[in-house]
């Protein structure tokens, strides 16, 4: 009599998609933040380090070349400038900590995500996990608003912050925004009608918690990104979907009475720079001016990693407050020091100078250009099944680059930023626009002229370079292989 094999044999475990390791990192962000502030440790950060280690062990086991030359250049571009900025830090400990954080967010975790994704099905799995996380955090945030248990805002504990707490008020807004962008990309792509309808429903539902986060930067970045996704999906669809989203937003927000007035006031404060701005706007522009002053002092190399807090008072005006006040959402009253300019570009410019900004921004813009080229190639070749992955990858990158004008890295949600860059890197630097639906692909080989690169295809295979049988050769195939 044949014996039934146990459910978790080694062979069955090996057949599981490696991207589940990244999904686990996303899932851990549903847990409450550990620590007393935005810089406190979170299980997702530790898990992201394990993902990098897991990816490295897979590469050693498979004995294959992990990245193409283009991927190495684009992802590795910031490493040397970061090392220079770390040596110029106020202390060796600060330099080492900052260097590790930047490598985690912009180099190591994105490279690991890129390598662990085998195909478009893996991308959709990761995308749905981010959408699910956003729905969970959004539901917690709406409950906080309704029950008055959120973070303090204008004297009322109504600000939706999810499980991130009042010390990281941007955490839930970031997660919900990225989940909304993922849902919009899935809804605008080509796929089963039921899947697209579910994604559209998630996107509409996430508008409410995003509004209740009272995060101006997240609002702006999400509006810009969704508009870009709609235009990339087609002008006619953009008009239809845009009208539906606006109508849904009016209905959802309009039903919250007093909240509507607060939202209108919050939106109006975005442009109030000289005409009686609130203190948070004053603080932000004061810190921006301080960051610019640090850059003018050391234009090439900046003041060193983690150097902004040390040099802030020497460059900030008296208009800067002593800190931001936080309260509610299960935490007591605290006054948090202002340790960053809340602008990623100015933070890099202040701490790393022109050399660091050119390296990091050059890496990000390269990903964006290559990703958009891949999207155009897919649309021209008629490879409809990949449109949703392209819209998600490009949308997440556009959101990050827009949000960086109003925020910087910090807090548990930063690990999600690294995942987004990994998804964008898979599409721009891997075989995202060239592989078939559900087929495996990575970035482990060089593309041959005139062929669609499908490196590392096959489960646990070696460096499978060379063209795939039946590779696409329609319009735009040359553009795909050129990446």
């Amino acid at each position: 009599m044949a014996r039934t094999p146990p459910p978790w044999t080694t062979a069955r475990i090996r057949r599981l998609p490696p991207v589940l390791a990244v999904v686990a990192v996303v899932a851990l962000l549903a847990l409450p933040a550990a620590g007393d502030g935005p810089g406190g440790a979170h299980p997702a950060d530790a898990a992201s380090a394990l993902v990098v280690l897991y990816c490295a062990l897979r590469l050693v086991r498979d004995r294959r070349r992990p990245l193409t030359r283009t991927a190495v250049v684009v992802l590795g571009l910031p490493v040397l400038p970061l090392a220079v900025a770390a040596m110029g830090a106020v202390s060796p400990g600060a330099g080492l900590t900052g260097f590790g954080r930047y490598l985690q967010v912009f180099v190591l975790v994105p490279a690991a995500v890129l390598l662990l994704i085998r195909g478009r099905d893996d991308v959709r799995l990761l995308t749905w996990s981010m959408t699910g996380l956003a729905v969970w955090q959004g539901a917690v945030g709406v409950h906080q608003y309704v029950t008055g248990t959120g973070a303090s805002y204008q004297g009322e504990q109504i600000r939706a912050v999810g499980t991130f707490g009042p010390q990281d008020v941007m955490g839930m807004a970031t997660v919900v925004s990225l989940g909304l962008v993922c849902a919009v990309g899935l809804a605008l792509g080509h796929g089963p009608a039921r899947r697209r309808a579910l994604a559209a429903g998630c996107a509409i539902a996430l508008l409410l918690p995003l509004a209740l986060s009272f995060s101006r930067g997240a609002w702006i970045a999400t509006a810009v990104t969704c508009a870009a996704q709609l235009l990339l999906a087609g002008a006619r669809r953009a008009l239809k979907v845009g009208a539906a989203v606006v109508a849904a937003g009016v209905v959802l927000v309009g039903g919250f009475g007093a909240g509507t007035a607060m939202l209108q006031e919050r939106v109006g404060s975005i442009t109030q720079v000289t005409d009686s701005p609130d203190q948070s706007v004053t603080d932000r522009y004061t810190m921006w001016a301080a960051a610019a002053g640090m850059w003018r002092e050391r234009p090439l190399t900046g003041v060193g990693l983690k150097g902004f807090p040390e040099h802030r008072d020497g460059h900030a005006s008296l208009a800067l407050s002593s800190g931001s006040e936080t309260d509610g959402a299960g935490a007591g009253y605290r006054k948090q020091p202002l340790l960053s300019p809340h602008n990623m570009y100015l933070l890099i410019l202040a701490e790393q100078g022109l050399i660091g900004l050119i390296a990091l921004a050059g890496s990000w813009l390269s990903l964006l250009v290559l990703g958009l080229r891949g999207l155009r190639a897919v649309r021209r070749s008629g490879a409809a099944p990949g449109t949703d992955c392209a819209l998600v990858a490009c949308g997440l990158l556009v959101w990050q680059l827009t949000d960086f004008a109003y925020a910087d890295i910090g807090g548990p949600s930063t690990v999600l930023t690294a995942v987004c860059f990994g998804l964008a890197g898979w599409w721009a630097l891997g075989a995202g626009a060239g592989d078939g639906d559900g087929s495996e692909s990575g970035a482990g080989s060089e593309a041959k002229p005139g062929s669609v690169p499908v490196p590392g295809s096959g489960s646990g295979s070696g460096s499978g370079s060379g063209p795939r049988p039946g590779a696409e050769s329609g319009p735009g195939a040359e553009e795909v292989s050129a990446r």
Side-chain angles (χ1 to χ4, degrees):
M1 183 176 180
R3 180 180 297 178
T4 303
W8 294 110
T9 62
T10 303
R12 290 186 177 183
I13 292 176
R14 286 184 176 180
R15 285 198 294 268
L16 293 175
V19 77
L20 285 177
V22 187
V23 172
V25 174
V26 175
L28 285 174
L29 286 172
L31 299 176
D36 298 326
H42 193 277
D45 283 309
S48 70
L50 293 178
V51 166
V52 174
L53 178 61
Y54 169 63
C55 181
L57 292 176
R58 283 180 58 87
L59 294 177
V60 172
R61 185 197 67 184
D62 296 342
R63 297 179 181 178
R64 67 186 179 91
R65 184 174 51 198
L67 296 171
T68 64
R69 286 191 295 269
T70 302
V72 170
V73 171
V74 173
L75 292 179
L77 188 61
V79 175
L80 184 58
L82 283 172
V84 173
M87 289 187 292
V90 293
S91 68
L96 187 60
T97 302
F99 184 68
R101 186 62 161 168
Y102 274 94
L103 283 185
Q104 174 204 12
V105 177
F106 299 118
V107 180
L108 296 179
V109 175
V113 174
L114 186 159
L115 292 165
L116 293 176
I117 292 176
R118 298 179 302 177
R120 292 171 184 160
D121 283 345
D122 285 359
V123 172
R124 294 184 184 108
L125 175 62
L126 185 54
T127 299
W128 277 112
S129 71
M130 294 173 64
T131 304
L133 173 66
V135 171
W136 160 250
Q137 291 288 356
V140 174
V142 172
H143 177 267
Q144 290 170 335
Y145 177 87
V146 172
T147 59
T149 56
S152 178
Y153 180 75
Q154 293 187 358
E156 300 182 55
Q157 296 187 355
I158 59 172
R159 186 169 190 175
V161 293
T163 64
F164 294 97
Q167 288 82 29
D168 186 16
V169 293
M170 290 295 298
M172 192 211 75
T174 298
V175 169
V176 169
S177 298
L178 294 176
L180 196 153
V181 170
C182 288
V184 169
L186 292 170
L188 294 176
H190 296 272
R194 184 175 301 178
R195 184 175 69 191
R196 289 188 285 112
L198 177 60
C202 290
I204 294 174
L206 289 172
L207 289 174
L208 179 59
L210 178 61
L212 299 180
S213 71
F214 295 99
S215 174
R216 294 166 292 201
W219 293 346
I220 295 172
T222 304
V224 169
T225 303
C226 291
Q229 287 178 304
L230 287 170
L231 291 175
L232 290 172
R236 183 176 299 178
R237 295 181 71 186
L239 291 175
K240 293 179 180 179
V241 178
V245 169
V246 170
V250 170
V251 172
L252 287 173
V253 176
F256 276 78
T260 304
M262 290 184 178
L263 289 173
Q264 291 175 348
E265 180 181 350
R266 189 68 167 171
V267 172
S269 68
I270 295 175
T271 57
Q272 290 178 351
V273 181
T274 57
D275 184 19
S276 300
D278 61 37
Q279 187 59 47
S280 64
V281 174
T282 300
D283 286 341
R284 176 162 304 196
Y285 284 98
T286 302
M287 289 189 294
W288 286 8
M294 296 178 201
W295 167 68
R296 285 192 294 268
E297 184 178 289
R298 300 181 187 177
L300 289 180
T301 59
V303 298
L305 294 182
K306 299 286 186 177
F308 181 86
E310 298 292 332
H311 295 81
R312 181 199 62 191
D313 294 340
H315 296 83
S317 68
L318 296 177
L320 184 66
S321 66
S322 58
S324 61
E325 299 176 343
T326 62
D327 194 7
Y333 173 84
R334 283 193 59 185
K335 201 171 187 76
Q336 288 186 229
L338 303 174
L339 303 178
S340 72
H342 297 292
N343 182 304
M344 192 66 199
Y345 304 109
L346 287 176
L347 178 63
I348 296 171
L349 199 61
E351 295 186 345
Q352 304 176 43
L354 278 175
I355 296 176
L357 182 63
I358 290 173
L360 277 165
S363 175
W364 302 337
L365 289 177
S366 297
L367 290 177
L368 182 60
V369 171
L370 293 172
L372 291 175
R373 283 182 58 189
L375 173 58
R376 191 183 75 164
V378 167
R379 293 192 62 185
R380 288 177 57 188
S381 64
T387 308
D388 55 346
C389 298
L391 290 172
V392 167
C394 294
L396 291 175
L397 188 56
V398 170
W399 191 92
Q400 290 292 345
L401 298 184
T402 305
D403 185 66
F404 278 167
Y406 303 93
D408 46 49
I409 58 175
S413 60
T414 299
V415 73
L416 206 59
T417 299
V419 173
C420 292
F421 276 101
L423 271 170
W426 171 82
W427 178 258
L429 303 171
D435 68 324
D437 189 35
S439 66
E440 294 186 1
S441 67
S445 69
E446 299 291 343
K448 293 184 178 181
S451 69
V452 178
V454 186
S457 60
S459 178
S461 64
S463 60
S465 62
R468 178 183 57 178
E472 297 172 7
S473 58
E478 293 80 9
E479 291 188 42
V480 178
S481 62
R483 296 185 296 124

